[in-house]
Amino acid sequence: MINKIDHIGIAVSSIEKSLPFYTTILNLQLEGIEEVDSEKVRVAFIKIGESKLELLEPLSSDSPIAKFIEKRGEGIHHIALGTSSIEERIREIKENGIRMLADEPKFGAGGAKIAFMHPKSTGSVLYELCEKQSKGDAK
Ligand code: ZN
């Protein structure tokens, strides 16, 4: 089931420059920084209650995030919906006429399985489905 906002993805030109706003001014906790090769981005996860903010910095000019920033500037990029059984969710969503950017999930940050819905099908919101791998892990 889809059962929470796992995180909100925010496109930034530089994690280093953006981070102090979150960690120093808002006093939120940085959970970690990692590179996600499949998306050519570096991501910083900032914990906020049960959800997270995901700062996305492009690693190369052909990264989808670089293209997003070029077109629209920095800002909210996507909303990630936490789900179980992501393959089943994708099937149901497609059966209801919603397009996916890819039909198979790929591996995102933290080894989560992720898949994006096409914004043309969702009122221009880029929604990510996100399934965390380790079920017993409370994180
Ligand atoms: Zn995300």
Side-chain angles (χ1 to χ4, degrees), residues 10-16 18 34-36 39-44 55-70 73-74 77:
I10 298 169
V12 300
S13 321
S14 161
I15 285 175
E16 266 58 49
S18 302
E34 71 177 280
E35 292 189 3
V36 181
E39 299 289 321
K40 296 178 184 155
V41 289
R42 206 150 72 98
V43 304
L55 305 184
L56 301 138
E57 174 194 304
L59 285 176
S60 77
S61 56
D62 62 341
S63 159
I65 296 300
K67 288 176 185 147
F68 176 89
I69 292 174
E70 204 176 288
E74 294 178 304
H77 178 260

Side-chain angles (χ1 to χ4, degrees), residues 37-109:
D37 293 334
S38 66
E39 299 289 321
K40 296 178 184 155
V41 289
R42 206 150 72 98
V43 304
F45 278 105
I46 297 159
K47 201 172 157 48
I48 174 161
E50 279 200 11
S51 300
K52 286 168 201 173
L53 299 172
E54 178 188 53
L55 305 184
L56 301 138
E57 174 194 304
L59 285 176
S60 77
S61 56
D62 62 341
S63 159
I65 296 300
K67 288 176 185 147
F68 176 89
I69 292 174
E70 204 176 288
K71 259 207 217 156
R72 300 165 59 168
E74 294 178 304
I76 293 182
H77 178 260
H78 66 270
I79 295 178
L81 307 174
T83 185
S84 58
S85 314
I86 190 166
E87 286 88 355
E88 248 176 74
R89 285 302 83 65
I90 292 171
R91 199 176 326 116
E92 287 168 4
I93 284 165
K94 284 172 63 187
E95 276 168 11
N96 283 287
I98 304 298
R99 283 165 65 198
M100 301 294 297
L101 288 187
D103 291 338
E104 300 292 330
K106 51 187 170 184
F107 289 102

Side-chain angles (χ1 to χ4, degrees), residues 7-9 45 54 56 78 80 114 116 128:
H7 62 269
I8 295 173
F45 278 105
E54 178 188 53
L56 301 138
H78 66 270
I114 64 170
F116 289 95
E128 171 189 327

Side-chain angles (χ1 to χ4, degrees), residues 114-134:
I114 64 170
F116 289 95
M117 293 179 232
H118 199 296
K120 287 219 165 99
S121 292
T122 60
S124 299
V125 179
L126 180 58
Y127 282 111
E128 171 189 327
L129 294 173
C130 172
E131 180 180 11
K132 293 283 154 66
Q133 291 299 72
S134 42

